Every structure is written in C-alpha cells, then in structure tokens.
Amino acid sequence: MSRSAILRIAAVAALLAAPACSRDPASASGVAARVNGGDVPFARVATALARDGGGAKDAPRALESAIDEELLVQKALAARLDRDPDVARAVEEDRRRILARAWLDRSTAAGGEPDRAQVHAFYEANPALFGARRIYALRELRLVGSTPRAAALRAVAAGNDADAVEAWLAREGVRFEAASRTEAAEAVPLALLARLQSMKDGEIAVIDADGAAGPVVVELMRSIAAPLGEAEAAPVIARFLAARRRLELAREEIARLRSAARIEYLAPVPTARGAARPAVPVHAALQTSAPPSLETQVAATAGPPRKDEKS
C-alpha cells in the first residue's frame, strides 16, 4: 500500500476516532504503519491527533509523530529503560493518574446536559457577555512603584479626563505606564467589566489592581455594541454548564471518598515557610476536569473585534 493511501486512510480513521473519550479505541484497529516489525495502529494516530488538538487534515503529521514515537520506544526497550527505577516510577505515576481520571469520568457521567431553561437563565444572568456584549476602546494609566493615596487619586479622577489625571501624576512625580487597547467584553477582567457596563464614553474610573500592583486609571474612549444572540450563545453556554456540573460532581465524589476512607497521616509533609496547606485537596485529575474558559469560548464564537462594527 502506498504512503499516500495510508495517509488517506489515517485521516479518515483519525477523524472517526478523534473523540477518544466517547469512542472505543478498537473501532480504529487497523495498522497504519509498521516500523522494524512493530505495528503503529490507527488508534495510536488518532490518540496523537487528539492530544495535539488537530483535525483530519493533520493526520499525516500525526502519523509521522507516531512513527517517531515508535522508533524511540523501540530504542528505549532495547536499552531496557523500562526497568530503570526512575522510568518505572514515572510509568506507575502515569498509570495511577489515568485510573483516577477514568474513575472521575465514569462517576461524573451522570451529570448530563443542561436543559434549555438552564441555558436561558445563564444567558439572562450574564448580559455583559451575551445580550449586552460590547467592544471597548480603553485608555489606561497603570501606576507603578510608589503610588499616591487612593483617595487623592480618585478625587482628581472625579470629573476630569485622562489627560488631566496624567498631568497631575506627572506633577506629583508618580510613575505610570500609558496604553490604549480595544477589547471585547470577554477579554476584560470581570472587576473592570462590571464598571465599564455602567460607564459612558469619555468617563474614567480608578480600578484597584490585584496583588501588589498599583491602581489603574481607565478611560472608556468609546464602546460598540456587539451582542451575541441566545441561539448563537446556547452551545457555548451548554458546554460550559455541563463541564462545570461535571467538576462539581468530581469534587463531591472526592469528598465522599475521603469521608468514607480511613486516612492516616504518618509523617508531616515539608512545606515552604509561610505556605498554607490548602483547605480542600485538589487532585491532578480534578484539575484537568475544570470547565473550559467561558470567556475563551465566547471569543471563539463571536470572533475578533472588527474595526468596521457600528455602534
């Protein structure tokens, strides 16, 4: 069989098997290539494709990647690296993670999909991301180093524009970084988005930054209406709600297992000075169950801001 024919078959098989979590790998049981007598099955190509997030058009690259992997595995086995203690430990750790994730997947499968009423309620509860979504043109003055008293800064900002605030900061010797940017609602930090919703074009606000960073003076230069209709947003919301529900079920399952188990702490675990032990343990399998970013999904659905959008 020619290489081009193999790649065409691999593309079809990979496309059919790409949703690896919902199909049995045996459904793609054919052999795509043979390397030094070792088989490279289509299922392995599909796994490589799913791991890299590719589509059927990327099947040729996934096949070559699987061949490279087979060559390396053959050399590792010939060198008996599978008997190396460090390698054996890493394999066992991966095996345990896979089993833990498999149980979480099975135990949260009953989460189901949200109904239309739940999707509608979420849409109505988040107008800034959907029905009242806007594109914001912002000018920012981000204070760095020593900053003035928050009350003084807000007093100057009240009733003035960003130019007046910038001049005042310069007179006071306060260092700042000026920038302008255009962002869709889903790309704006939630704390700022809540303020922008109530602001009119030309108004400014002082936002307290997270952590040790100084406050940020934000001027809303203009905003453009770019609503996302409920029909368009519904698939995004449904995926997010379903994933969030599975995460909740996963946390409940771990809590249930811990409450029913007999756990003995035999020795203290060394931690960095001042580091606090988390109140609720988070297993790696639980972390990978986290729902996809709603903001990222909204951005993908709505597309990037267009310069020709009308208000």
Side-chain angles (χ1 to χ4, degrees):
M1 185 181 293
S2 68
R3 180 175 181 275
S4 60
I6 288 175
L7 292 179
R8 285 196 296 272
I9 295 174
V12 174
L15 180 61
L16 293 175
C21 60
S22 61
R23 285 185 175 266
D24 186 58
S27 64
S29 58
V31 176
R34 187 164 284 119
V35 181
N36 297 328
D39 290 348
V40 178
F42 285 123
R44 193 175 299 160
V45 178
T47 298
L49 198 62
R51 181 182 61 225
D52 297 338
K57 63 182 175 59
D58 301 306
R61 176 182 51 78
L63 174 60
E64 298 303 329
S65 176
I67 290 173
D68 291 344
E69 181 180 73
E70 177 64 23
L71 287 167
L72 294 171
V73 168
Q74 289 180 9
K75 293 299 290 185
L77 291 175
R80 298 190 173 184
L81 289 182
D82 55 326
R83 302 183 183 182
D84 180 278
D86 291 337
V87 174
R89 187 183 309 112
V91 170
E92 175 61 17
E93 289 173 356
D94 282 344
R95 172 182 169 275
R96 293 175 63 83
R97 276 194 293 268
I98 291 169
L99 287 171
R101 178 56 191 266
W103 177 253
L104 278 182
D105 287 344
R106 174 177 293 187
S107 62
T108 61
E113 299 296 323
D115 57 32
R116 293 180 60 181
Q118 292 171 314
V119 171
H120 175 73
F122 191 88
Y123 180 88
E124 292 294 326
N126 293 273
L129 289 175
F130 303 116
R133 177 178 178 268
R134 301 185 71 83
I135 308 297
Y136 299 99
L138 307 173
R139 178 183 176 189
E140 295 181 342
L141 304 176
R142 189 174 297 274
L143 279 59
V144 296
S146 59
T147 60
R149 296 190 313 275
L153 179 61
R154 286 183 166 80
V156 173
N160 285 313
D161 58 18
D163 288 334
V165 175
E166 184 173 351
W168 180 81
L169 292 172
R171 288 196 303 271
E172 295 292 317
V174 178
R175 293 175 52 230
F176 61 90
E177 297 172 351
S180 298
R181 60 192 177 100
T182 300
E183 300 280 17
E186 62 273 8
V188 177
L190 292 179
L192 175 57
L193 182 59
R195 293 289 300 275
L196 290 177
Q197 282 185 278
S198 61
M199 292 172 59
K200 298 178 181 178
D201 291 359
E203 289 186 347
I204 64 175
V206 179
I207 307 297
D208 294 324
D210 295 333
V216 182
V217 179
V218 179
E219 178 184 17
L220 176 57
M221 294 188 291
R222 63 185 177 279
S223 62
I224 301 170
L228 197 60
E230 185 169 352
E232 192 176 8
V236 171
I237 296 173
R239 287 195 299 270
F240 175 78
L241 291 179
R244 188 173 68 177
R245 178 55 182 157
R246 286 194 297 271
L247 179 60
E248 292 170 353
L249 290 174
R251 291 187 183 278
E252 291 171 4
E253 174 64 7
I254 289 181
R256 184 187 68 81
L257 293 174
R258 291 178 68 88
S259 65
R262 185 165 64 98
I263 301 173
E264 302 175 73
Y265 293 96
L266 303 180
V269 177
T271 58
R273 185 185 298 270
R277 176 178 293 181
V280 179
V282 179
H283 190 275
L286 186 57
Q287 291 177 320
T288 57
S289 300
S293 166
L294 178 63
E295 293 79 9
T296 300
Q297 293 187 75
V298 170
T301 301
R306 300 193 305 273
K307 293 182 179 179
D308 59 345
E309 283 184 289
K310 303 298 183 182
S311 57

